[in-house]
Structure formats: structure tokens, C-alpha cells
Amino acid sequence: MVGNLTSKKANDSMSSFSMLKAFDINIRPCKQLSTVEVLWSPPARGWIKCNTDGVASGSSLLDACGGLFRDEEANHLLSFSVFIGPRTPVVTEFMAVIIAVEKVKQLNWSKLWIETNCMLVVKAFANVHLVSWTLKSRWLTC
């Protein structure tokens, strides 16, 4: 009952959400910080673009990554999503790119454009020392 009288905002934790719902407490979500419009543009002719993303919530059931492959006409070619166990947000971003590159190698595609929202992953293509030691061998072989 006291939970419904508070003016506090809920965080984005799934465990907090579950707990609040279990006690039938009204949820007051945090305000959205901002909205940024992003326009997708197709890759050059003959290339395949893969948009990747990772999410880490601190719960092994929710940490995952995924990717979406499209051609120059924006046709969906392939997509993937993988639960990867408890990881940090940066590791999930790296795993998304690693898995995307591994899929491309399996399919013998030769021209891949990767888009990610993690600048550390982008910089790791030029400096392998930025890759966590737990992922380095897989990063180097993909």
C-alpha cells in the first residue's frame, strides 16, 4: 500500500518490475531523456549491411545480442538473436559483431558493412588491444 503512495520513479530493471507487479504497486516509469531520429541508408551495390546491438541487464536470462542483414534494396536477408548469459553491455556489443562476422563467413558473403552504436567496437577494428581478453581469441578468428 505504501508503494502506491510514493512519487518515486521505477528503474528499468526487470527484477524491480516483477517485484512491483507481484505486490500490485502502480508503476511510474522514468521520463524518456530524448528522442533521436535515425534514418537507415542502404549499403552500396553488392554489399550487405548488418545492424547489430547488444543488451546487458545484469540478469543471465536477459543478456543478449542480435543483428539484421539487408542488401542494397533493403531486402531482409538474415537476422539473428542470441542469449549470451551474464555479460557487460560492452561485451554484448562485441558479441553481436563477432556473431555477425561468423555468420557472414559461414555464408561466404564477401562484402559486409557493420553498423553498431558502440564506438569501442568500431575502434577495436583498428586497435585489437581494446578488445576484452575474454573475447580476444574469438575476435581475432572471426
Side-chain angles (χ1 to χ4, degrees), residues 18-37:
S18 299
M19 182 68 73
L20 293 171
K21 282 312 225 181
F23 287 104
D24 200 28
I25 296 173
N26 296 329
I27 298 172
R28 294 176 190 80
C30 294
K31 288 185 178 179
Q32 183 176 348
L33 296 177
S34 65
T35 300
V36 177
E37 183 176 353

Side-chain angles (χ1 to χ4, degrees), residues 23-123:
F23 287 104
D24 200 28
I25 296 173
N26 296 329
I27 298 172
R28 294 176 190 80
C30 294
K31 288 185 178 179
Q32 183 176 348
L33 296 177
S34 65
T35 300
V36 177
E37 183 176 353
V38 178
L39 299 175
W40 185 86
S41 59
R45 185 164 179 75
W47 284 74
I48 295 167
K49 184 182 273 191
C50 181
N51 295 86
T52 64
D53 202 6
V55 62
S57 64
S59 168
S60 61
L61 298 174
L62 300 175
D63 297 350
C65 63
L68 175 67
F69 296 87
R70 291 186 268 186
D71 65 14
E72 69 268 8
E73 295 176 2
N75 295 314
H76 176 260
L77 302 175
L78 176 76
S79 53
F80 69 91
S81 61
V82 180
F83 291 105
I84 58 174
R87 304 290 176 108
T88 65
V90 171
V91 170
T92 63
E93 297 287 350
F94 270 98
M95 285 300 298
V97 171
I98 288 170
I99 293 168
V101 172
E102 289 172 347
K103 295 227 178 263
V104 166
K105 284 175 73 173
Q106 289 171 359
L107 295 166
N108 291 320
W109 292 343
S110 59
K111 296 179 179 179
L112 175 66
W113 180 283
I114 295 178
E115 286 191 350
T116 177
N117 60 359
C118 183
M119 188 54 73
L120 189 60
V121 172
V122 173
K123 289 181 178 183

Side-chain angles (χ1 to χ4, degrees), residues 11-20 57 59 62:
N11 63 24
D12 59 357
S13 163
M14 195 60 166
S15 59
S16 294
F17 175 81
S18 299
M19 182 68 73
L20 293 171
S57 64
S59 168
L62 300 175

